[in-house]
Amino acid sequence: MSPAIRMMSMALFIQIFTFFLFTATVSSSPPGGFTVDLFQRRSNSSSSRISNTQPGSSPYADTLFDSSEYFMKLQIGTPPVQIEAILDTGSSRIWTNCLPCGNCFKQSGLVFDPSKSSTYKEKICDGSPCQPYVMPETTIGCSHNSSVVFRTAASGIVGLNWGSSSLVSQMGEDMLGLMSYCFSGEGTSKLNFGSNAIVSGDGTVAANMFRKKEDPNMYYLNLDAVSVGETRIETLGTPFQALDGNMIIDSGTTYTYLPESYCDKVRTAVEKVVKAEREASPDNRLCYKTNNMDIFPVIKMHFQGGADLVLDKYNTYMMYGEVTCLMILCDPGTPILGNRAQNNFLVGYDPSSLLVSFKPTNCSALWS
């Protein structure tokens, strides 16, 4: 989950809303699978669903993109109320603001009012995760008092990790835990489940997935090295070295975070290549007074299992007018592979095989 979400403090009650609705395309081959649309948010305009040729359909929800996060549109309750929640592989629960809301963050659209839903039932979990429910009954958290701060106008979170109350877990065994997405900063993207989520074909590489006892709900990868141009910086011999997972992959965090001692080595390698004037950054990012992306080195990330990800300049650098900054940040917290580094990869999660697959893809054109 994003750093802002990690600092969250809230009173969270678990509710059941029958008919958790989402628009999707259904696969006719077993195990059943479906795909939901991902849209880029455009101000003062509404997004429309993409037509498709796959047979069948299921209840509906769209998802969309703003400047830093990816949202799924959900309809909850009866009559249905639409919310927009962040897709988060680093979260265990599905939750949203609910009335009465004594201290809640600002959001776009209506706040859900349980008293107006005929299918609302309260379920108190005494601080423990509630048992999952098979669709269409879905366990959703109802926040009446929270201090979470989002940089976006999200209504809540759609948890997608291994937690028992996440959306993936509540889908049940038919989907086999299979999930994939293809994030794009423009146009239409997709989120897939079940048989539709299998990632294969030319260019596909796979990284070993780990589940750690001390943090069992997160999807862990093991980063072996980072290459900056022709310079390869190994984790071997550093405190970051591991064999059983040393960073999480998180769709709900924008940037990529590395531990400070190792991150400094990566930054130093970038500094040796880039010949431009430095720009001061309040959050200690590595920034330069230039908008010429050609002077920046290509960065590769090497994961255990043989996945060597060649990252596009968009994945690793961001321009702010005449200034360009490295989007790999140094942080003492848990190392994270964020969603910007995952852009234009078809990313597939296969818990049964303990693999995360990456396929370089023009995500905005994949299903257009």
Side-chain angles (χ1 to χ4, degrees), residues 234-242 246 259 261-262 265:
E234 302 284 349
T235 62
L236 182 66
T238 74
F240 191 30
Q241 178 188 356
N246 57 8
S261 59
Y262 183 77
K265 296 177 183 290

Side-chain angles (χ1 to χ4, degrees), residues 226-269:
V226 172
S227 291
V228 177
E230 300 301 317
T231 302
R232 181 173 169 123
I233 303 109
E234 302 284 349
T235 62
L236 182 66
T238 74
F240 191 30
Q241 178 188 356
L243 295 175
D244 60 348
N246 57 8
M247 76 185 307
I248 65 172
I249 177 170
D250 188 1
S251 66
T253 296
T254 305
Y255 307 133
T256 292
Y257 294 86
L258 296 176
E260 290 176 321
S261 59
Y262 183 77
C263 183
D264 286 340
K265 296 177 183 290
V266 175
R267 283 172 56 124
T268 298

Side-chain angles (χ1 to χ4, degrees), residues 26-34 54-55 174 193-196 198:
V26 179
S27 169
S28 57
S29 59
F34 62 88
Q54 292 180 299
D174 287 346
F193 296 96
S195 60
N196 284 14
I198 296 171

Side-chain angles (χ1 to χ4, degrees), residues 115-191:
S115 67
K116 295 182 179 179
S117 173
S118 63
T119 50
Y120 162 84
K121 291 185 291 182
E122 185 174 15
K123 184 177 179 66
I124 305 298
C125 294
D126 297 324
S128 301
C130 297
Q131 293 299 311
Y133 290 81
V134 178
M135 302 294 177
E137 275 201 354
T138 308
T139 303
I140 300 176
C142 213
S143 174
H144 298 282
N145 185 5
S146 65
S147 58
V148 63
V149 178
F150 289 128
R151 289 177 296 182
T152 61
S155 305
I157 295 288
V158 178
L160 295 171
N161 71 9
W162 257 315
S164 62
S165 295
S166 75
L167 178 59
V168 178
S169 295
Q170 291 191 66
M171 285 177 178
E173 296 180 357
D174 287 346
M175 296 298 167
L176 302 178
L178 295 169
M179 172 183 67
S180 69
Y181 49 71
C182 204
F183 290 154
S184 171
E186 59 182 15
T188 303
S189 305
K190 297 281 182 177
L191 175 66

Side-chain angles (χ1 to χ4, degrees), residues 79-92:
V81 173
Q82 180 167 286
I83 66 170
E84 296 176 2
I86 296 172
L87 296 174
D88 193 358
T89 57
S91 290
S92 303

